Amino acid sequence: MSIVLPLVFVCASVVGVSAICDKDQDDGCRVTCDGTVLDISNLLSYPYKITVDDNNVGEYFTYSPCNGFDCGSIDGSLICLNRDDSHKDSCGTFASSWVITKTNPLTFSILYACQLGQDCTSSFFTFTQTDDEETKVVYKSQEDGAYQFQVTGKCVGQINCVNEPSDGHKKKSVIGPAGLVLMILFFAALLIYFIAGALVMKYHKQATGKELIPNYLFWSELPFLVKDGCLFVISPCRKRKGYEAL
């Protein structure tokens, strides 16, 4: 397999260049396009495995755009096709172009090309920002002499954007369903306690005013007890009124 370098210009003309991108000399996964910074350094957990399809379970791509790795006889590959027989095909050794094609939603593409004379096929990635928490990478087909991939997710191209785990599980609430049910039951029981207690105090003990509150002395002193408890925990070795020094 081989790559024809003019493919870079063919792909650029097809997608339509809307921003000129300057590569970061120290980071191969970051560029600046007319003031807009694109960064895929933390987009996925590299090296990232991309399946070909459900039928070809033995074939998959390995994607590591920030740091090159060995792929068969070619060192420094950024994407590699792994086959059943342990044969590996390089699918791009350098990012020859970054192109922003749309700003809302953010859409850009990267062409991973090959050096002249290498037994290598290029790869073309299209990145599109969506509302999905999980970043997804799908192999589409092989067209125009390059493998075609589609990447989607809310963090596509954004700096300091936090992705969800690669297994697709969303973050769960700290409280959770069980905790929420327990809180509802607690406050419901507390409400019943005060209503039932007030009725008992009124009709059984003939109480009036604030004495209707069941265990009034306890509830009236509770805020001060909480305060003293917090002070004792924070400064257990300091002398405080009502407590002896430790």
Side-chain angles (χ1 to χ4, degrees):
M1 290 179 287
S2 61
I3 179 66
V4 180
L5 286 184
L7 175 63
V8 176
F9 304 102
V10 173
C11 291
S13 63
V14 171
V15 297
V17 178
S18 61
I20 300 174
C21 300
D22 297 322
K23 299 177 183 178
D24 190 316
Q25 298 300 321
D26 300 323
D27 190 345
C29 285
R30 181 170 177 169
V31 299
T32 302
C33 309
D34 288 351
T36 300
V37 178
L38 300 178
D39 193 333
I40 60 172
S41 301
N42 299 314
L43 183 61
L44 298 163
S45 179
Y46 302 118
Y48 185 80
K49 181 179 178 180
I50 307 171
T51 57
V52 176
D53 57 50
D54 295 335
N55 296 324
N56 296 328
V57 293
E59 293 188 354
Y60 62 92
F61 292 92
T62 304
Y63 182 46
S64 184
C66 304
N67 300 294
F69 60 99
D70 295 343
C71 180
S73 60
I74 299 179
D75 299 338
S77 295
L78 302 180
I79 181 167
C80 181
L81 176 59
N82 304 267
R83 301 184 183 276
D84 266 334
D85 56 1
S86 300
H87 181 73
K88 297 182 179 181
D89 296 329
S90 180
C91 307
T93 57
F94 66 100
S96 62
S97 68
W98 292 59
V99 178
I100 293 180
T101 57
K102 196 173 182 180
T103 56
N104 189 21
L106 176 63
T107 304
F108 62 96
S109 62
I110 305 176
L111 175 64
Y112 296 100
C114 306
Q115 302 290 345
L116 284 173
Q118 289 182 331
D119 185 15
C120 172
T121 300
S122 63
S123 299
F124 190 74
F125 280 71
T126 301
F127 298 77
T128 303
Q129 185 180 4
T130 64
D131 294 331
D132 294 336
E133 295 286 340
E134 180 188 4
T135 299
K136 298 179 181 179
V137 185
V138 178
Y139 167 67
K140 306 296 288 185
S141 62
Q142 183 178 5
E143 299 176 6
D144 300 324
Y147 294 114
Q148 306 288 324
F149 298 87
Q150 177 69 56
V151 186
T152 56
K154 75 168 188 175
C155 287
V156 166
Q158 299 181 47
I159 301 175
N160 300 324
C161 183
V162 179
N163 273 318
E164 294 300 314
S166 58
D167 59 6
H169 295 303
K170 296 181 181 296
K171 293 181 180 178
K172 297 181 179 179
S173 169
V174 175
I175 297 177
L180 183 60
V181 171
L182 289 175
M183 289 183 63
I184 294 174
L185 292 176
F186 171 76
F187 286 109
L190 194 63
L191 182 61
I192 294 173
Y193 164 79
F194 279 109
I195 294 176
L199 292 175
V200 170
M201 296 297 292
K202 178 177 178 63
Y203 295 105
H204 182 68
K205 296 187 177 181
Q206 306 301 317
T208 58
K210 61 185 180 181
E211 297 298 332
L212 287 172
I213 301 175
N215 296 313
Y216 169 73
L217 290 178
F218 169 76
W219 292 109
S220 62
E221 294 178 358
L222 182 60
F224 301 101
L225 293 174
V226 173
K227 176 183 177 183
D228 289 342
C230 292
L231 292 175
F232 183 72
V233 170
I234 295 173
S235 304
C237 296
R238 295 179 59 185
K239 292 183 178 180
R240 296 200 176 275
K241 187 178 181 179
Y243 296 100
E244 295 182 357
L246 296 180

